[in-house]
């Protein structure tokens, strides 16, 4: 099987590498010539000079996977692809798009007899070696076409992936996934901040995190990451307590309001990120380090 991959940032580049290692030929494009050249050094990956060259290099029915930021750049790329692809081809949006945009895009592409699949991808910087959890939506025919790719990207062929339903459902499930992630991270950060504030006990936070990893009901991958960075630096004095939000937390809170579903934990976790700008609190430093641990998100240093 052969795939076109557009967007070779850390996630997109690593996904292309994992697919190539699984024996899937990848033709890749990125706006940066240096990035294209770097990825093309990998066996099984060929760089395309532009979108037209990428489409020409693929057999039909073509599958083009987009890993770009939500918003204008994704919209522009889809518009261009619509003029280049043929009926029966499939476009997969693996970025963090709003599910309503995905529903709209699926309807637009269908007017040209093109399939659209929205794929929520989780796994961060660890996905290359450990696989990616993938929740995707789209018509059954499109889902069947992309399933071999999903199996190759997942942690195992039979686990870590799910065809959730029609177009939009994949990004909807990923949106909720990220909302839950916000809440879990916030609770953990607050707990460690509370222990850090109890100076009279001189608690070993790294040791506590490591102990909790074994048998505790709060053990998790987030705890694994927390234990790892606390083992090396418990005080986090060089870390600025600035925690960005990628947008999915906002979409989750908005959707909860529109559906009338109470989500106080996820919503307050989002608001806590808003309040993190410039405040010297230990919990926000922990949140920043957790985001860096699972997703490679940059951490701000300095006072």
């Amino acid at each position: 099987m052969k795939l076109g991959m557009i967007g070779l940032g850390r996630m997109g580049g690593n996904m292309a590498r994992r697919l190539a290692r699984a024996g899937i030929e990848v033709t890749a494009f990125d706006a940066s010539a240096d990035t294209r050249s770097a990825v093309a050094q990998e066996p099984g990956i060929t760089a395309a000079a532009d979108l037209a060259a990428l489409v020409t290099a693929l057999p039909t029915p073509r599958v083009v996977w987009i890993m770009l930021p939500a918003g204008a750049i994704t919209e522009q790329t889809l518009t261009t692809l619509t003029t280049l692809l043929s009926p029966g081809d499939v476009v997969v949006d693996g970025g963090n798009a709003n599910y309503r945009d995905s529903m709209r895009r699926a309807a637009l592409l269908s007017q040209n007899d093109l399939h659209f699949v929205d794929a929520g991808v989780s796994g961060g910087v660890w996905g290359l070696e450990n696989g990616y959890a993938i929740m995707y939506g789209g018509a059954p025919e499109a889902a069947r076409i992309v399933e071999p790719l999903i199996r190759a990207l997942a942690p195992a062929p039979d686990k870590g992936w799910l065809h959730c339903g029609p177009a939009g459902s994949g990004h909807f499930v990923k949106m909720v996934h990220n909302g839950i992630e916000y809440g879990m991270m916030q609770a953990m950060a607050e707990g460690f901040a509370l222990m850090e504030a109890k100076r009279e006990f001189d608690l070993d936070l790294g040791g506590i995190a490591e102990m909790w990893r074994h048998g505790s009901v709060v053990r998790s991958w987030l705890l694994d990451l927390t234990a790892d960075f606390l083992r090396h630096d418990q005080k986090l004095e060089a870390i600025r307590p600035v925690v960005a939000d990628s947008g999915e937390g906002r979409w989750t809170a908005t959707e909860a309001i529109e559906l009338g579903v109470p989500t106080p934990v996820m919503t307050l976790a989002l608001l806590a990120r808003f309040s993190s700008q410039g405040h010297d609190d230990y919990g926000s430093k922990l949140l920043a380090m957790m985001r860096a641990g699972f997703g490679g998100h940059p951490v701000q240093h300095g006072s």
Side-chain angles (χ1 to χ4, degrees), residues 134-156:
I134 302 179
M135 49 226 86
Y136 63 108
E141 181 181 353
R144 285 193 295 271
I145 292 173
V146 302
E147 186 174 313
L149 302 171
I150 302 294
R151 289 178 177 271
L153 288 168

Side-chain angles (χ1 to χ4, degrees), residues 98-101 103 172 175 249-263 266-267:
N98 189 300
Y99 81 95
R100 296 178 187 272
D101 287 335
M103 295 173 68
F172 180 82
M175 178 191 74
R250 301 186 189 207
W251 300 338
T252 306
T254 300
E255 191 69 22
I257 292 170
E258 292 185 359
L259 292 177
V261 176
T263 57
M266 291 189 287
T267 302

Side-chain angles (χ1 to χ4, degrees), residues 7-239:
L8 303 174
R10 179 173 292 186
M11 179 81 88
N14 281 346
M15 290 174 68
R17 293 180 180 94
R18 185 171 176 86
L19 289 166
R21 292 178 185 180
I24 294 170
E25 295 181 64
V26 179
T27 299
F29 173 76
D30 190 273
S32 166
D34 290 341
T35 300
R36 292 198 303 270
S37 297
V39 174
Q41 302 302 313
E42 301 279 341
I45 303 178
T46 304
D50 52 35
L51 294 182
L54 179 143
V55 170
T56 300
L58 300 176
T60 56
R62 302 177 183 90
V63 179
V64 179
W65 193 302
I66 301 174
M67 290 299 295
L68 296 170
I73 184 62
T74 294
E75 198 75 31
Q76 293 164 8
T77 301
L78 284 169
T79 299
T80 301
L81 286 174
T82 301
T83 67
L84 297 171
L85 295 173
S86 303
D89 291 346
V90 182
V91 177
V92 182
D93 182 4
N96 282 338
N98 189 300
Y99 81 95
R100 296 178 187 272
D101 287 335
S102 297
M103 295 173 68
R104 174 179 55 80
R105 289 163 178 163
L108 287 173
L109 266 63
S110 69
Q111 295 176 9
N112 291 342
D113 294 322
L114 299 173
H115 297 297
F116 181 86
V117 172
D118 56 295
V121 181
S122 180
V125 297
W126 302 87
L128 176 59
E129 301 300 333
N130 299 334
Y132 300 90
I134 302 179
M135 49 226 86
Y136 63 108
E141 181 181 353
R144 285 193 295 271
I145 292 173
V146 302
E147 186 174 313
L149 302 171
I150 302 294
R151 289 178 177 271
L153 288 168
D158 61 343
K159 62 183 65 174
W161 61 273
L162 181 69
H163 178 213
C164 299
S169 63
H171 279 154
F172 180 82
V173 173
K174 178 58 162 53
M175 178 191 74
V176 176
H177 165 282
N178 280 28
I180 294 170
E181 177 186 293
Y182 275 43
M184 292 174 65
M185 291 173 66
Q186 186 66 32
M188 193 169 297
E190 290 177 6
F192 278 95
L194 186 61
M195 290 188 288
E196 191 271 341
K198 193 66 173 176
R199 303 293 171 79
E200 65 194 83
F201 285 163
D202 192 24
L203 297 172
D204 178 0
L205 301 187
I208 292 169
E210 179 61 30
M211 179 269 295
W212 279 354
R213 292 181 59 225
H214 307 282
S216 165
V217 297
V218 298
R219 61 188 184 274
S220 63
W221 186 35
L222 288 174
L223 183 60
D224 294 343
L225 295 170
T226 302
D228 183 62
F229 64 71
L230 287 179
R231 185 181 303 116
H232 298 97
D233 178 14
Q234 178 165 306
K235 295 186 179 299
L236 305 180
E237 291 177 341
I239 304 302

